[in-house]
Amino acid sequence: MRTPPAPRATPGSPLTTPAAPLPRPTQITPPSEAATATAGETPATGGGPTGDNETDSPAAPESADAPATGHRRHRLFDWRIRFAALSLIWGFSFLFIKVGTDGFAPLYVTFGRLLFGTLVLLAVLVVKRDRLPRGARLWGHLTVASFLLNAFPFSLFAYSELHISSTLAGICNATTPLWGMTLSLVALSEDRPTRRRLAGLGLGFVGVLIVLGAWQGFSGQDPTGTAMALVASFSYAVGWIYVRRTLADAPHSNISMAGGQLLLGTVQLGLVAPFFAATPDALPVLPLLSVLALGTLGTGLAFVVQYGLVAEIGPTTATLVTYFIPVVATAAGVLVLGEGLTWNTPVGALIVLAGAALTQRGPRKPAAARAPAPAPDQP
């Protein structure tokens, strides 16, 4: 798997945000698909997952580690139920991608995902009487963000699953925080390397090597598919940093930004797909339902749920969903699709997650200096 941005993880992201940043996000944002906002907290804009407060104000909460205070609407479901549902939705996104590519070209799987996700967020905007962002400059930045956090990584994950299992794709998505941490040390001057973060990076990449079976020459793993999944996770991290630098102060709600971002991603795929993929001449039921679920649940509804979780329990707790995504993706791949599982896959995945967790634990910044709530990358 992780729309607007996210890791801390998409598919969409999503991821993102790990250092993700995610994703006001995109990524939507997996995790990308999520996602786990990377080192340094990034705004969410559409791919993966987060929001401001319940009144849709663009201002960040008083503390990035505590839920927004003040009056809240009555919630139909306890936050733990919604947290579990979000973990399942994003974890199953990789299964939906795998099934979707059984009937449609990867670019059309991504196009359908973005289209259905956009329709969900536009409907939410109508219900909330909100509107899409305004301003040519803002839409220009959203165009870049939608490519880095949605169109490009979502397509890569779809292509990768032509060659690798949904289980491996979900685990590769969990590397977003590692990529984000690496990039933030270079691109974000306020993120200082610490022993703990550097240890987390080293541990995480050792975990990746274990997952891929490096000691046996990566035998049994398709290098092309694996590389595409890792590049998709890297794209989430780049997108989150771009969003943090260009869209952190945008005067619009996260859902507004996410809706605009997904809309642009849909347009991008709508223009590109006919030239690089065969137009579907049939609509097989199971792949179509998978793409529908991937878009409406994993890309549209998931962002809204994550938005509400961040407002209610704070981003620190809400973005922990990133660490459950590869677990769910692995279980779904093995139990539903019958994918094989060797000892190094779960062991390596746990090491990757441990490393990603270490990269997220840095010096706390004063509340006033924090960016809006980060969001995991959407798978």
Side-chain angles (χ1 to χ4, degrees):
M1 330 249 170
R2 323 288 154 284
T3 153
R8 277 184 183 180
T10 27
S13 335
L15 276 84
T16 8
T17 128
L22 308 167
R24 300 177 192 266
T26 92
Q27 209 282 10
I28 171 184
T29 218
S32 174
E33 342 177 304
T36 49
T38 68
E41 311 192 355
T42 39
T45 60
T50 4
D52 12 279
N53 53 38
E54 299 238 333
T55 60
D56 290 347
S57 165
E62 291 181 5
S63 169
D65 295 314
T69 58
H71 175 71
R72 293 191 183 90
R73 299 187 188 92
H74 174 70
R75 296 291 185 178
L76 182 60
F77 297 106
D78 181 80
W79 73 266
R80 297 169 187 83
I81 296 177
R82 285 176 282 128
F83 183 96
L86 188 60
S87 300
L88 289 173
I89 289 172
W90 273 339
F92 267 85
S93 291
F94 296 96
L95 180 150
F96 293 145
I97 291 173
K98 172 69 80 173
V99 176
T101 55
D102 287 340
F104 305 106
L107 287 179
Y108 280 103
V109 170
T110 303
F111 173 73
R113 172 184 189 171
L114 288 170
L115 175 62
F116 292 129
T118 299
L119 293 177
V120 169
L121 289 185
L122 291 180
V124 173
L125 286 176
V126 171
V127 171
K128 297 175 70 68
R129 297 183 180 180
D130 201 350
R131 64 187 181 188
L132 290 172
R134 294 185 179 183
R137 186 170 180 273
L138 181 59
W139 279 94
H141 288 312
L142 282 175
T143 298
V144 177
S146 66
F147 175 77
L148 293 173
L149 288 163
N150 305 121
F152 184 57
F154 287 3
S155 297
L156 282 179
F157 271 120
Y159 272 109
S160 75
E161 292 200 39
L162 294 177
H163 307 279
I164 63 176
S165 66
S166 64
T167 294
L168 180 56
I171 293 172
C172 288
N173 180 75
T175 65
T176 300
L178 305 177
W179 295 122
M181 182 70 250
T182 302
L183 290 173
S184 69
L185 294 177
V186 176
L188 301 175
S189 59
E190 66 269 28
D191 286 328
R192 298 283 183 255
T194 64
R195 290 182 180 179
R196 181 178 303 222
R197 286 181 168 183
L198 293 176
L201 285 176
L203 186 64
F205 285 114
V206 166
V208 171
L209 294 177
I210 292 176
V211 168
L212 300 181
W215 66 92
Q216 54 188 5
F218 305 106
S219 61
Q221 304 294 354
D222 184 278
T224 301
T226 303
M228 286 191 288
L230 290 174
V231 171
S233 299
F234 179 79
S235 181
Y236 282 141
V238 174
W240 287 325
I241 289 179
Y242 179 83
V243 165
R244 183 174 177 181
R245 284 182 170 274
T246 62
L247 295 172
D249 299 323
H252 300 282
S253 71
N254 278 357
I255 291 183
S256 173
M257 298 287 284
Q261 185 175 310
L262 286 184
L263 177 61
L264 288 168
T266 303
V267 171
Q268 290 171 9
L269 264 296
L271 294 175
V272 169
F275 293 98
F276 295 93
T279 303
D281 54 8
L283 297 176
V285 176
L286 194 55
L288 179 61
L289 290 177
S290 293
V291 173
L292 179 63
L294 184 63
T296 57
L297 299 178
T299 306
L301 181 63
F303 177 83
V304 178
V305 172
Q306 177 73 358
Y307 171 91
L309 284 173
V310 170
E312 181 174 354
I313 63 178
T316 298
T317 302
T319 54
L320 290 177
V321 69
T322 300
Y323 301 103
F324 290 88
I325 293 173
V327 176
V328 175
T330 298
V334 173
L335 299 178
V336 180
L337 298 180
E339 296 175 345
L341 188 67
T342 56
W343 70 267
N344 58 299
T345 300
V347 170
L350 289 175
I351 294 175
V352 168
L353 293 176
L358 284 176
T359 65
Q360 303 312 304
R361 301 184 62 179
R364 295 172 59 85
K365 293 186 288 184
R370 291 178 182 145
D377 62 306
Q378 190 170 43

